[in-house]
Amino acid sequence: MSTWTILGVQVNGDDLFAAGGGKYGSHLAQLYVELQAVEYRDEFGLRNSQACIDAIRAAAQPLDGVERLSFTEIQGGPGGTDITIEIAGKDLEEVNRAVEETKFMLAEFEGVYDIADDNADGQREIRIELLPGAAAMGFTVNDVAQQVRASLFGIDAHVFSDRQEDIDVRVRLDETSRRSLNTIENLWLIAQDGRRVPINEIATLSEAIGYSTIQRVDRRRTVTVTADTASDVNPEEIVRALDIDGLRNQYPQLDIGFGGRQEQMAEAFGSLPIGFGAAMVMIFVILAWLFGSYTQPLAVMLGIPFAFIGVVWGHYLLGYKLTFLSIIGFVALSGIVVNDSLILVEFFNQKRREGVSLVNALALAGRARFRAIGLTTITTVLGLTPFMLEKSFQAKFLIPMAVAISFGLMSATFLILLVLPCILVIFDDIRGVVYYLWHGLPRPRGDDGLRSSFELETE
C-alpha cells in the first residue's frame, strides 16, 4: 500500500497552496495528494501514480451531487488532458448538441475516463428585461440596473472619519429583504421626473441559470471537451478512431477540431520534418565537399534509417513508449551515425587512391576502423547509461531521448559495418552501368570518379 499525504484542499474557491491553477468558485473543490518519491516506490514495488489514480477513481464513483469529477497527476512535460476537442459556433444550442454527441462517442471507448466539458452552468440568477413602454416613462437599462444594484448591494452615501480611518456608509435593504425574491418583484423604481413606478410595470423578471465562464478561442465562443485515458491506452489511437469528419458533416455550421495536446503535437510534428530535412541537406553538402562525390554522401546517409531499428527495439526492451522526445533523439542520432560512416568511407577512399581494389579497400577499411567506430559507440552509450538507469521523477521525461540515441547508435554501428560496404559496392556497379550506357564500353577498372588519380589495375 502506498502512503498518501494530503497537501491541500481548495475550499470556497480559495486555493490554500496555490497549486495547480484552474478555475475558482464557491462550488469548486480540489484535493491534492502527494505520493512517496517514485524511485522509492519502484524500489519496493509500490503502485505508480496511475495505479493509485485508478484505485481512487474506482472507489470514489459515483458521488451524489457532483457534476464533474476528474483525477489528474502533475506532469513534467506539456500539461493538459490526454484528449482535447474544441467546438466553436454561434448557435449555442447546436454547439451543446455537438458537445453531447462528442462525449457519447468518447464514452464508447474502453479506458477513457473523466469525460467533461467546460460549458458548466453557473449560479441561479434573476434576469430583468425592460418592456417596450419603459423608454416612454424615462427608464433606461442603466437606470434600472443601478437602482436594483443599490437596493441589493448598496450605495455609498457618506464617508466619515473615525480613529484616523475612513468609514464608508452604505445604504441598502436589510438582509432579510435582500434574500427574498419577493423583494425584487415588488421593488419600486424612481423615474427621471421623480415618479415611483413598480418594477413589474416596466420590466419582466425571469429566473435562469447563468454561465460560470464563457470560453473563447481566437475570439470565437468555444466549448472544449476533455478526457483522460488509462495508462495502457494510447490517446492518439483514440483520436484516430474518432469519427470527427462525420461530426463535422453533421454540424457544418460549427468548427470542430483538436486542441491541447493534439494541437501541440500537430504543430511540433509539422515543423520537425522541415528542420530534419534542412539538417540532411546540410550534411549532404558537407559530405559532398569532403568526398568530392555526389554518390558517396548518399551511401553514408543511407545508414541513418538503420538507426531507427535500434530506437524501436530499445524502447520495446526497456518498456518505454515512443514519444516526441524519442523522435528528437533520433534526429540528434543522425549526426552521430554519419560520424561513424564518415570514418569508414574516408579510409576507404584513401586506400582506393593508393590503388587498392574495391573489395580489398572495403575489407581494409572495416578492419582498420573497427576499433575507432567501436570506441565511438561504446563511449557514447556508456555516457548515456547512467541517465537511462536514473529512477528520479525529473529524469523520466528525458530517458526516451537517451534510449533512442544509445540503442539507435548500437544498431547503426553494427549495420554500418555490414551494410555500408555493400552499398558502396552497389553504387560502384551502378556507376559502371551508367558508364556503359553513356559510352557503349565497359568502364575501366579503378575509374571511380574520385578527385585524386591513381594507377589503373591491369588484368
Side-chain angles (χ1 to χ4, degrees):
M1 295 292 293
S2 300
T3 302
W4 300 341
T5 303
I6 297 179
L7 285 183
V9 181
Q10 179 172 316
V11 182
N12 295 328
D14 297 325
D15 193 347
L16 300 183
F17 286 84
K23 304 175 182 178
Y24 297 89
S26 59
H27 60 294
L28 302 177
Q30 292 179 344
L31 177 66
Y32 299 98
V33 177
E34 181 186 22
L35 302 179
Q36 292 179 350
V38 61
E39 51 268 25
Y40 177 84
R41 285 182 279 137
D42 291 342
E43 181 180 357
F44 292 94
L46 302 178
R47 290 180 294 183
N48 56 24
S49 300
Q50 188 60 47
C52 295
I53 290 177
D54 294 339
I56 298 174
R57 180 186 287 112
Q61 295 180 348
L63 293 178
D64 296 335
V66 176
E67 294 183 359
R68 177 181 177 183
L69 181 64
S70 61
F71 301 87
T72 58
E73 61 179 326
I74 298 177
Q75 300 176 354
T81 54
D82 293 334
I83 300 175
T84 304
I85 302 174
E86 297 178 348
I87 303 175
K90 296 181 179 180
D91 190 347
L92 191 57
E93 293 184 0
E94 192 175 18
V95 170
N96 290 333
R97 289 196 298 269
V99 167
E100 294 301 324
E101 190 161 347
T102 302
K103 293 165 66 175
F104 178 78
M105 293 168 55
L106 289 171
E108 293 181 342
F109 293 93
E110 186 177 357
V112 179
Y113 306 106
D114 302 339
I115 304 172
D117 62 82
D118 60 358
N119 192 29
D121 293 335
Q123 304 297 317
R124 295 169 57 194
E125 63 184 20
I126 299 297
R127 297 180 180 177
I128 303 175
E129 183 177 358
L130 295 185
L131 295 174
M137 301 179 65
F139 286 97
T140 63
V141 175
N142 186 44
D143 295 335
V144 175
Q146 286 185 351
Q147 294 190 46
V148 173
R149 182 181 187 275
S151 300
L152 301 178
F153 181 75
I155 184 173
D156 294 336
H158 180 66
V159 178
F160 70 92
S161 299
D162 184 25
R163 297 179 182 179
Q164 299 181 351
E165 291 185 3
D166 292 337
I167 300 177
D168 297 330
V169 178
R170 178 169 296 174
V171 179
R172 62 183 179 182
L173 296 176
D174 60 279
E175 184 176 357
T176 304
S177 300
R178 286 188 282 112
R179 291 184 176 274
S180 175
L181 296 179
N182 186 55
T183 302
I184 302 178
E185 295 174 351
N186 297 322
L187 193 65
W188 288 70
L189 303 179
I190 301 176
Q192 294 181 355
D193 56 3
R195 290 180 299 169
R196 298 175 67 249
V197 180
I199 191 173
N200 53 18
E201 291 187 6
I202 63 171
T204 58
L205 281 69
S206 59
E207 184 177 350
I209 300 296
Y211 296 101
S212 59
T213 56
I214 297 178
Q215 303 291 339
R216 293 185 182 273
V217 177
D218 295 334
R219 296 182 297 178
R220 298 179 303 171
R221 181 74 176 272
T222 304
V223 178
T224 304
V225 180
T226 58
D228 286 316
T229 58
S231 57
D232 57 344
V233 176
N234 187 355
E236 310 311 323
E237 296 180 357
I238 303 296
V239 169
R240 286 192 294 267
L242 283 174
D243 188 15
I244 295 297
D245 292 333
L247 194 63
R248 290 169 178 165
N249 295 332
Q250 185 177 353
Y251 299 96
Q253 302 299 326
L254 304 181
D255 294 330
I256 304 176
F258 294 101
R261 167 176 172 164
Q262 282 71 40
E263 183 180 14
Q264 294 175 8
M265 290 187 62
E267 293 177 355
F269 281 104
S271 60
L272 185 61
I274 299 176
F276 183 69
M280 292 299 100
V281 170
M282 293 302 298
I283 291 176
F284 178 84
V285 171
I286 294 174
L287 293 180
W289 170 76
L290 179 63
F291 294 148
S293 170
Y294 294 109
T295 57
Q296 284 192 345
L298 294 178
V300 171
M301 296 175 67
L302 283 177
I304 295 176
F306 294 112
F308 195 72
I309 300 175
V311 173
V312 175
W313 274 103
H315 284 74
Y316 175 76
L317 294 176
L318 297 184
Y320 288 95
K321 294 181 180 180
L322 281 171
T323 63
F324 182 73
L325 290 177
S326 304
I327 305 301
I328 295 296
F330 173 73
V331 174
L333 175 64
S334 303
I336 305 176
V337 172
V338 168
N339 290 339
D340 287 347
S341 303
L342 181 63
I343 296 174
L344 181 67
V345 175
E346 181 63 24
F347 190 87
F348 162 74
N349 290 338
Q350 179 182 349
K351 291 301 177 183
R352 290 289 283 161
R353 295 187 187 99
E354 295 175 358
V356 181
S357 63
L358 178 68
V359 176
N360 290 335
L362 289 173
L364 290 174
R367 185 187 309 168
R369 292 306 180 190
F370 175 79
R371 179 182 298 175
I373 295 174
L375 288 176
T376 302
T377 301
I378 292 174
T379 53
T380 303
V381 173
L382 290 180
L384 292 174
T385 298
F387 191 14
M388 291 187 293
L389 298 178
E390 180 61 42
K391 299 297 182 181
S392 65
F393 178 78
Q394 292 80 2
K396 286 289 185 181
F397 308 99
L398 295 177
I399 288 178
M401 181 188 297
V403 172
I405 296 177
S406 299
F407 283 84
L409 183 59
M410 286 189 289
S411 67
T413 300
F414 177 75
L415 293 174
I416 282 172
L417 294 173
L418 297 179
V419 178
L420 183 57
C422 300
I423 295 176
L424 293 174
V425 173
I426 293 173
F427 275 26
D428 185 77
D429 294 339
I430 293 175
R431 287 196 297 268
V433 172
V434 173
Y435 186 93
Y436 179 81
L437 294 176
W438 184 262
H439 297 281
L441 297 173
R443 186 184 61 165
R445 296 186 62 185
D447 185 10
D448 57 359
L450 294 175
R451 290 176 298 174
S452 302
S453 59
F454 51 81
E455 295 290 333
L456 297 180
E457 296 178 356
T458 59
E459 296 290 343

